[in-house]
């Protein structure tokens, strides 16, 4: 069986994080960077880029993935349902765009974007303790980077 090891040493990863709902996204970012360091990653091998909102994540992820410098890209954001169809447009396009970037470039792109009905649900998923979705996204990125290395081209 082939599996990727969740190890950051020797890897380069880029995080692209939305600024919208920063009170949540900053916690996801903390979870992701902590997971990176806990898994043995070097601070200089982790790039963090910020974009205005979740809608802009795919285009920045594409630039980072296509450059060939990173083993994986982690996209972080938080879309909270309001009373308008805006939520569907942003969350659907964000998810579709990020998946497309991964398929087009062959670089794993991880969907660390919360799409929730309420602020409470967002807070639960961005908690600093266990269950922080930013940390989980980074672990998925490292596992996929390891798997892709083992699968070869
Ligand atoms: N962006 C988010 O990341 N989350 C949201 O909940 C959100 N809402 O609700 O509007 C949001 N909007 C901004 C959007 O992502 C773009 O930045 C903006 O439309 C400019 O293209």
């Amino acid at each position: 069986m082939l599996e990727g090891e969740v190890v950051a040493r020797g890897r380069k990863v880029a995080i692209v994080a939305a600024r919208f709902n920063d009170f949540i996204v900053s916690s996801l970012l903390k979870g992701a960077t902590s997971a990176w360091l806990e898994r043995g990653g070097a601070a200089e091998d982790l790039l963090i880029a910020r974009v205005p909102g979740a809608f802009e994540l795919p285009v920045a992820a594409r630039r980072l993935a296509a450059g060939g410098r990173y083993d994986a890209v982690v996209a972080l954001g938080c879309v909270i349902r309001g009373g308008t169809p805006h939520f569907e447009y942003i969350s659907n396009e964000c998810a579709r765009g990020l998946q497309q970037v991964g398929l087009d470039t062959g670089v794993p792109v991880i969907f660390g974007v919360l799409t929730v009905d309420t602020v409470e649900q967002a807070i639960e998923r961005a908690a600093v303790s266990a269950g922080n979705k930013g940390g989980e996204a980074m672990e998925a990125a490292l596992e996929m980077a390891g798997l892709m290395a083992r699968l070869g081209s």
Side-chain angles (χ1 to χ4, degrees):
M1 184 177 61
L2 277 179
E3 275 186 315
E5 265 190 285
V6 186
V7 167
R9 199 173 324 101
R11 302 260 178 252
K12 289 189 196 301
V13 166
I15 295 175
V16 58
R19 224 176 293 107
F20 205 102
N21 289 327
D22 190 54
F23 70 109
I24 295 293
V25 180
S26 59
S27 289
L28 297 176
L29 204 43
K30 264 191 213 139
T33 51
S34 300
W36 170 258
L37 296 172
E38 277 163 24
R39 297 291 180 166
E44 64 271 22
D45 291 331
L46 180 67
L47 178 103
I48 300 172
R50 299 303 297 259
V51 296
F55 195 76
E56 286 74 38
L57 289 170
V59 70
R62 186 183 175 91
R63 182 66 63 91
L64 291 163
R69 237 179 297 160
Y70 300 101
D71 300 302
V73 176
V74 176
L76 300 177
C78 174
V79 193
I80 302 175
R81 191 184 290 277
T84 71
H86 207 60
F87 173 88
E88 264 79 27
Y89 285 115
I90 293 176
S91 48
N92 290 346
E93 289 311 305
C94 174
R96 191 196 55 79
L98 291 172
Q99 180 68 288
Q100 193 64 50
V101 172
L103 295 174
D104 287 351
T105 61
V107 175
V109 176
I110 305 303
F111 188 65
V113 180
L114 302 181
T115 57
V116 292
D117 289 329
T118 64
V119 173
E120 289 70 29
Q121 288 175 346
I123 291 170
E124 234 171 73
R125 289 159 178 77
V128 182
S129 57
N132 180 296
K133 296 294 171 195
E136 290 180 16
M138 178 58 77
E139 297 201 338
L142 296 176
E143 180 178 343
M144 284 304 295
L147 178 66
M148 298 305 267
R150 293 188 74 184
L151 289 176
S153 42

